[in-house]
Amino acid sequence: MSKRGDFEAVRKDIAKLMHQPEYDDGSAGPVLVRLAWHSAGTYDADTDTGGSNGAGMRYEAEGGDPANAGLQHARVFLEPVKEKHSWITYADLWTLGGIVAIKEMGGPEIPWKGGRTDYVDDSKLPPRGRLPDGAQGSDHLRFIFYRMGFTDQEIVALSGAHNLGRCHSDRSGFEGAWVNNPTRFSNQYFRLLLSLQWRKKRLPNGVEQYVHYDEDSEAELMMLPTDIALTQDKSFRTWVELYARDKDRFFEDFSKVFSKLIELGIVRDEDGKVTNADNERGGYHA
Ligand code: DDH
């Protein structure tokens, strides 16, 4: 048990659980990043519903959304950290887990502040269907991400997270990793999007994705239809090209936009204190 509000101690314990020899590519990192993103990516700016406040994925309505299949692994990885630092809210822990994982995998430092609540406000619950569907194209990407208040540039920067981790046919129906080293954060995803020939492949389960057979590693790399859409849309493509040639710019923009993502729906006063989290019922102010 650490002192209430000692987020440094929590960060250290999250960093320690990154190495998971029995899991996927030996790292808990990618799935922790996806947990942070899905906890926040339900936000709707118009109705001010969804977002990371409330940690709604603990409950069936949100946790059982097929879009969240597999994220229980990330929640289980973090559970010992919650047990040890019981003062931290799940909403803070899940977002902090993502940014610690990105840093541990060689990514940028991402600004993070605590203060999210675990109180579930029924009037703020997101309906299912708010997270993106990889089988779609650029119209869908804009529909989903404009709803959260992101621009085309931010959509492309966020998509660079697909440099990490992999698809699992028993979770999303898609299969494989985007890059050869999926536990090292870089701009490789953008470089491969532009430099390789991607051909459409129908998997045995009927799902269609794009693949490239890499001779060096003798591995098949993959892209989702939504990833390929970033190269086909003029406005998106400009940013893919920039991030493919300028890794520092990608790191800088990714840091800003991921930080914006995990703050969606959180209102703070000038001292950074959250003003729209119900503390009485399960929240904690740093
Ligand atoms: Fe993603 N993502 N994602 N993604 N994502 C998947 C895996 C991972 C889409 C679909 C999928 C973002 C955007 C999109 C990560 C981070 C981020 C999988 C595979 C699918 C499908 C799941 C599975 O089978 O286990 C689509 C569509 C979009 C979009 O429309 C833009 C964003 C914005 C992020 C982010 O973090 C900012 C990560 C990391 C993974 C790897 C997870 C793992 O277990 O490994």
Side-chain angles (χ1 to χ4, degrees), residues 23-24 27-36 70-71 73-74 77 165 171:
Y23 182 76
D24 265 10
S27 172
V31 79
L32 289 179
V33 175
R34 193 165 196 238
L35 176 67
L71 294 182
H73 292 281
F77 284 136
R171 301 184 190 174

Side-chain angles (χ1 to χ4, degrees), residues 10 22 27 33 53 75 77 79 111 118 120 136 146 177 190 192 199 219-220 233 261 270 278 281 283:
V10 181
E22 304 291 309
S27 172
V33 175
N53 242 346
R75 296 196 292 276
F77 284 136
E79 202 45 39
D118 281 349
V120 177
Q136 310 269 340
Y146 284 6
F190 295 115
L192 297 184
R199 86 182 154 79
E220 195 174 78
D233 179 280
L261 170 73
E270 58 274 20
D278 194 331
R281 289 177 280 190

Side-chain angles (χ1 to χ4, degrees), residues 3 9 19-20 32 42 58 90 94 112 125 156 161 190 192 208 219 223-224 273:
K3 210 170 116 264
H19 181 58
Q20 295 287 345
L32 289 179
T42 54
R58 287 170 299 156
Y90 281 105
W94 294 349
W112 179 91
L125 281 178
V156 177
F190 295 115
L192 297 184
E208 282 188 343
M223 290 285 166
L224 300 169
K273 194 167 146 179

Side-chain angles (χ1 to χ4, degrees), residues 107-125:
E109 197 84 54
I110 298 174
W112 179 91
K113 287 199 203 91
R116 291 163 195 77
T117 179
D118 281 349
Y119 171 64
V120 177
D121 179 345
D122 287 342
S123 70
K124 301 272 182 201
L125 281 178

Side-chain angles (χ1 to χ4, degrees), residues 65-141:
D65 185 337
N68 288 328
L71 294 182
Q72 70 276 9
H73 292 281
R75 296 196 292 276
V76 167
F77 284 136
L78 289 174
E79 202 45 39
V81 181
K82 170 69 177 166
E83 271 165 35
K84 185 165 168 195
H85 310 277
S86 54
W87 52 267
I88 196 171
T89 61
Y90 281 105
D92 273 349
L93 181 61
W94 294 349
T95 49
L96 186 58
I99 69 135
V100 171
I102 289 165
K103 184 74 199 150
E104 289 299 309
M105 292 186 286
E109 197 84 54
I110 298 174
W112 179 91
K113 287 199 203 91
R116 291 163 195 77
T117 179
D118 281 349
Y119 171 64
V120 177
D121 179 345
D122 287 342
S123 70
K124 301 272 182 201
L125 281 178
R128 288 186 179 182
R130 286 217 176 146
L131 293 161
D133 170 3
Q136 310 269 340
S138 50
D139 288 352
H140 174 74
L141 285 176

